[in-house]
Amino acid sequence: SLSILQYNGAEVAFATNLFSGKSWIGKEVNEEILKTQSSEAGIIHLAMHGEVEDEHPLLSRLYFSPSKEEDGMLFTYEIYNMNIPAQLVILSACNTATGALQRGEGILSLERAFQYAGSQSLLSTLWTVDDRASAELTQSFLQHLKDGKTKDIALQGAKLEFLKPAPPDKLD
């Protein structure tokens, strides 16, 4: 029942070419790849569907292709048990920074699980994202990083570039 993402392949290919990394696109993207490769990666870029479960936050998930060993759903509770010491994790999926507010714990989100797993910094979302807009913003962010800008300045530049073509009455 998930919609087809039309721009995530181009988004990941752009990142791969920019940083000369490894990538998996389409049906070849499964949980085992993340589980076996994540401890070695400097940047992890996941452009896919995500789903938040507010009533049961540990069941929030990212959707991968199913395989013989895995069901294709990487749950928050699984991420907590992983070792992901990446310098940057990009969660280009819907609502990856949202979740249930747990007293004494904070927001229980997919983003938080990646932090707990050792990720040094994350780029994540607070709302449902448009596939095309997400790809454009992420590509601009990555280009700014490649040009030597810090993560915060790279994101600021990407946002400003994204807003440039918008008519002033749409910026409210």
Side-chain angles (χ1 to χ4, degrees):
S1 65
L2 297 172
S3 64
I4 294 174
L5 299 173
Q6 296 178 348
Y7 299 94
N8 68 331
E11 180 181 339
V12 172
F14 179 87
T16 303
N17 291 333
L18 196 63
F19 292 102
S20 301
K22 294 179 189 175
S23 68
W24 294 268
I25 297 173
K27 297 214 181 280
E28 64 186 18
V29 180
N30 59 52
E31 292 175 74
E32 296 98 274
I33 291 170
L34 181 66
K35 289 176 178 179
T36 60
Q37 303 286 320
S38 62
S39 64
E40 306 294 322
I43 297 175
I44 297 174
H45 182 168
L46 299 172
M48 58 190 18
H49 283 291
E51 188 174 358
V52 174
E53 292 285 343
D54 283 329
E55 287 190 36
H56 304 283
L58 294 178
L59 297 179
S60 294
R61 65 189 80 70
L62 295 171
Y63 287 95
F64 289 79
S65 293
S67 66
K68 291 178 184 176
E69 293 82 22
E70 298 284 352
D71 60 5
M73 293 180 281
L74 180 67
F75 293 96
T76 301
Y77 71 85
E78 292 178 278
I79 300 166
Y80 274 109
N81 292 314
M82 293 173 65
N83 177 32
I84 309 173
Q87 295 171 5
L88 173 64
V89 174
I90 299 170
L91 298 175
S92 188
C94 295
N95 303 307
T96 55
T98 62
L101 180 60
Q102 185 77 28
R103 181 179 219 139
E105 292 292 329
I107 296 175
L108 300 179
S109 65
L110 288 160
E111 177 191 61
R112 181 169 181 206
F114 277 92
Q115 289 173 341
Y116 187 86
S119 302
Q120 296 175 30
S121 60
L122 285 109
L123 180 60
S124 56
T125 61
L126 290 168
W127 49 82
T128 302
V129 295
D130 175 78
D131 182 30
R132 181 177 177 191
S134 176
E136 288 176 18
L137 185 70
T138 303
Q139 288 173 0
S140 179
F141 167 72
L142 291 169
Q143 185 62 58
H144 286 292
L145 275 183
K146 182 70 172 179
D147 292 343
K149 295 188 172 99
T150 59
K151 294 173 195 132
D152 57 335
I153 300 300
L155 183 57
Q156 178 188 36
K159 287 178 179 180
L160 291 171
E161 286 174 15
F162 184 78
L163 292 173
K164 265 185 195 174
D169 63 325
K170 299 292 183 193
L171 296 177
D172 293 334

